[in-house]
Amino acid sequence: MYEILINYREQLMYSLAVLILLTIIQFVLKKAANKVGKRSEINITRTRLMFKYINILLLLIATFLLSFAWGVGLSELALIFSSTFAVIGVALFAIWSILSNITSGIIMFFSFPYKIGDTIKIHDKDIPIEAEIEDIKAFHLHLRTADGELITYPNNLILQKAVSLIEVERRHDDGKEAL
């Protein structure tokens, strides 16, 4: 055991430094996402979704840095990552609408002017929709019409259509819903 520690001392120290640095970056990014969520009154479930995206990004960075530290050459890493991204690219091209909805969900987290509980009107020439926002998910919105019908509306379409705010959810001064 002692020989392993001596022989791989540099790699172990580099790995420890990378893990500590990425943990600090993760903490800062999650704090920032939480702050944006609270300031914009974004539902906590949407904020937690951003936490998952942050974790995935940092996992990819950690994999790259740790592979490099443990002797995987730059050409081998380039081959592995290019092959992986080629496969992912083909898969995502086949399901581009899902990727589009996820990207739209991220954009909506930071800049969507409507909140859960607001009543909106989507100006679609074929099927105009007037409904209350019941939930905002990673792929779609849950909208409830006045008739009680539940509509799932894709995130990418909500960013492409004109939307009007009909009624804002009534809140007390402390930001909590009125009963």
Side-chain angles (χ1 to χ4, degrees), residues 121-139:
K121 181 174 183 178
I122 301 170
H123 301 278
D124 187 345
K125 67 178 184 173
D126 296 327
I127 307 171
I129 298 172
E130 186 172 324
E132 178 182 333
I133 300 174
E134 196 170 90
D135 200 0
I136 303 173
K137 303 273 187 188
F139 298 103

Side-chain angles (χ1 to χ4, degrees), residues 1 11 15-16 18-19 25 41 45 54-55 60 62 70 90 97 100 102-103 105 121-122 134 141 150 179:
M1 180 71 173
Q11 291 92 339
S15 298
L16 183 62
V18 165
L19 292 176
I25 291 172
E41 298 179 359
T45 56
I54 289 168
N55 288 339
L60 290 173
W70 284 92
V90 169
S97 64
S100 173
I102 291 172
T103 305
K121 181 174 183 178
I122 301 170
E134 196 170 90
L141 296 173
L150 177 65
L179 297 176

Side-chain angles (χ1 to χ4, degrees), residues 60-155:
L60 290 173
I61 292 170
T63 302
F64 175 76
L65 292 175
L66 292 175
S67 298
F68 190 67
W70 284 92
V72 178
L74 202 52
S75 60
E76 290 90 0
L77 278 177
L79 178 65
I80 291 169
F81 275 96
S82 64
S83 300
T84 302
F85 287 127
V87 170
I88 291 171
V90 169
L92 291 179
F93 181 74
I95 53 172
W96 69 270
S97 64
I98 292 175
L99 178 62
S100 173
N101 283 319
I102 291 172
T103 305
S104 299
I106 293 170
I107 292 169
M108 288 170 52
F109 177 79
F110 291 105
S111 65
F112 194 58
Y114 312 111
K115 309 282 182 243
I116 294 174
D118 292 349
T119 301
I120 60 171
K121 181 174 183 178
I122 301 170
H123 301 278
D124 187 345
K125 67 178 184 173
D126 296 327
I127 307 171
I129 298 172
E130 186 172 324
E132 178 182 333
I133 300 174
E134 196 170 90
D135 200 0
I136 303 173
K137 303 273 187 188
F139 298 103
H140 54 269
L141 296 173
H142 283 176
L143 304 171
R144 182 79 58 185
T145 63
D147 299 337
E149 179 183 11
L150 177 65
I151 299 171
T152 55
Y153 202 80
N155 286 342

Side-chain angles (χ1 to χ4, degrees), residues 22-48:
L22 289 178
T23 302
I24 292 169
I25 291 172
Q26 178 187 36
F27 176 76
V28 169
L29 288 176
K30 284 185 175 183
K31 216 41 161 167
N34 200 23
K35 185 182 260 186
V36 168
K38 284 183 179 179
R39 183 178 45 222
S40 301
E41 298 179 359
I42 295 173
N43 192 314
I44 189 67
T45 56
R46 292 183 60 211
T47 303
R48 287 186 185 135

